[in-house]
Amino acid sequence: MIAKPVTMAGKKDDGAGEGGTGVALQTRTKTQRPPMYKVLMLNDDYTPMEFVVHVLERFFGMSHAQAFELMLTVHKKGVAVVGVFSYEIAETKVSQVMDFARRHQHPLQCTMERE
């Protein structure tokens, strides 16, 4: 059995010899960005405002001023987007917030939806 020569690009020679183009073609696949998900916080009449501020600071890395403003938005409008993340991160944030609220016996609701 005779092995075909390998070109410099690492491709096997197709046997065309001198008459071939000598160009090795490579296809590149374009990677897509993952879909993003909005994390939403919902208002309720029982969770203290300071607890919501604490949650926003702790789980979403907001300053006290940012967290306070967003808490007021949740309070006045009933819902607010607290962050936009990939699916896995959004799911983790929602789970962390819900677990933390339950441990502190607050009915705070946090959910996610595709952007």
Side-chain angles (χ1 to χ4, degrees), residues 42-100:
L42 308 173
N43 187 43
D44 64 73
D45 294 332
Y46 303 102
T47 305
M49 292 180 176
E50 274 306 311
F51 183 79
V52 175
V53 170
H54 178 69
V55 165
L56 293 170
E57 290 171 346
R58 179 173 178 164
F59 297 106
F60 297 94
M62 295 181 188
S63 69
H64 186 76
Q66 290 171 320
F68 189 81
E69 286 297 316
L70 197 52
M71 177 275 300
L72 287 177
T73 301
V74 171
H75 181 69
K76 291 176 183 175
K77 294 188 176 184
V79 65
V81 175
V82 296
V84 179
F85 308 96
S86 66
Y87 180 82
E88 291 81 9
I89 294 173
E91 185 177 48
T92 300
K93 298 273 187 194
V94 168
S95 178
Q96 288 174 330
V97 169
M98 296 295 288
D99 290 344
F100 189 70

Side-chain angles (χ1 to χ4, degrees), residues 16-35:
E18 295 292 323
T21 61
V23 176
L25 298 177
Q26 292 182 352
T27 58
R28 291 189 179 191
T29 56
K30 188 172 183 178
T31 57
Q32 290 183 327
R33 293 188 145 274

